[in-house]
Amino acid sequence: METWDAIRSRRDVRQFEDRPIPQEDLDLILEAGRRAPSSGNQQRWDFVVVTDRAQLQELSRVWRGAQHVAASAATVALVAPSFEAPKERESVAYDLGQGSMSMMIMAADRGVGSGHSAVADQDLARKILGFPEDRFCAFLIPMGYPADGPLRPRRRPNRRPIEEVVHWGHWGGKRVPTQEVLSPGGR
Ligand SMILES: Cc1cc2nc3c(=O)[nH]c(=O)nc-3n(C[C@H](O)[C@H](O)[C@H](O)COP(=O)(O)O)c2cc1C
């Protein structure tokens, strides 16, 4: 898939087919995350991969918005050091966002749907995943083949208009976007 198509095809998927992701695709997705840039190249992340159905069902209980974890083919848990200082917390959160997005775009490239989930119950997450006391589970990324059909480029994503989001040169600066942005191919 072209990068532009992978970017336009990615959407948050919360219902998955009961079909495993081939190991080589999962490996590529995880490698995309490992290659993500991070503040000072500190790479303050570990990825715990869960594919066992009973463990996934258990993991889906860490937050009420994590129910889609239960039926995923695989879920990647992003584990990071716990920091008190806001500066550290914010920079690790930014890094984790970059790693997440790299994995999600790579997943879309392979036709694999993914969705985010926050984590509320850290004790339960720690019990299920076994990460050390000085770490926390920042996010879960459940993955699998979308139950409502393959990923396809979205023509009209549910987003604020480009003219409102992008400011050219200064706040409020306007430019007409190119045709492919105004009227992209896809559904
Ligand atoms: C930081 C972050 C946390 C999120 N947490 C959850 C969550 O706990 N559960 C969930 O179902 N979706 C979660 N989402 C998914 C968002 O709701 C989703 O990305 C947004 O609605 C856009 O969806 P779309 O890309 O399919 O248009 C989260 C997304 C982000 C970026």
Side-chain angles (χ1 to χ4, degrees):
M1 206 188 263
E2 293 288 331
T3 309
W4 176 224
D5 286 340
I7 287 171
R8 292 185 305 147
S9 300
R10 191 220 58 80
R11 58 184 162 88
D12 266 70
V13 174
R14 297 187 180 87
Q15 285 176 330
F16 302 102
E17 285 181 3
D18 186 15
R19 161 157 88 95
I21 302 167
Q23 176 76 41
E24 57 268 31
D25 285 347
L26 255 185
D27 284 348
L28 275 179
I29 292 166
L30 294 159
E31 174 63 0
R34 187 184 76 93
R35 284 176 179 248
S38 59
S39 170
N41 198 24
Q42 293 178 82
Q43 305 164 63
R44 297 163 293 181
W45 49 46
D46 288 271
F47 310 144
V48 185
V49 189
V50 179
T51 56
D52 176 77
R53 180 63 55 216
Q55 200 184 356
L56 288 165
Q57 283 167 350
E58 189 71 359
L59 198 56
S60 73
R61 294 171 47 230
V62 297
W63 159 240
R64 63 183 160 80
Q67 284 156 22
H68 51 308
V69 168
S72 65
T75 286
V76 179
L78 304 180
V79 174
S82 314
F83 291 113
E84 289 295 324
K87 190 167 172 281
E88 296 278 21
R89 275 217 309 268
E90 284 161 19
S91 90
V92 91
Y94 191 99
D95 293 350
L96 290 168
Q98 307 232 47
S100 301
M101 200 57 186
S102 290
M103 284 194 258
M104 292 174 124
I105 297 291
M106 190 68 231
D109 178 88
R110 310 308 291 176
V112 173
S114 61
H116 311 75
S117 173
V119 178
D121 190 338
Q122 288 294 329
D123 292 340
L124 181 58
R126 185 174 285 106
K127 186 170 148 244
I128 297 165
L129 302 172
F131 54 85
E133 281 294 327
D134 61 349
R135 313 283 165 103
F136 79 113
C137 181
F139 281 99
L140 300 172
I141 308 180
M143 299 183 192
Y145 297 97
D148 60 353
L151 295 175
R152 276 188 284 159
R154 287 197 291 184
R155 277 170 62 85
R156 304 202 183 288
N158 177 20
R159 299 294 189 263
R160 289 164 56 209
I162 186 114
E163 300 85 346
E164 181 186 309
V165 174
V166 178
H167 306 248
W168 285 92
H170 57 88
W171 192 263
K174 300 281 179 215
R175 237 189 232 183
V176 179
T178 53
Q179 198 54 33
E180 175 58 15
V181 170
L182 286 175
S183 179
R187 62 175 176 166

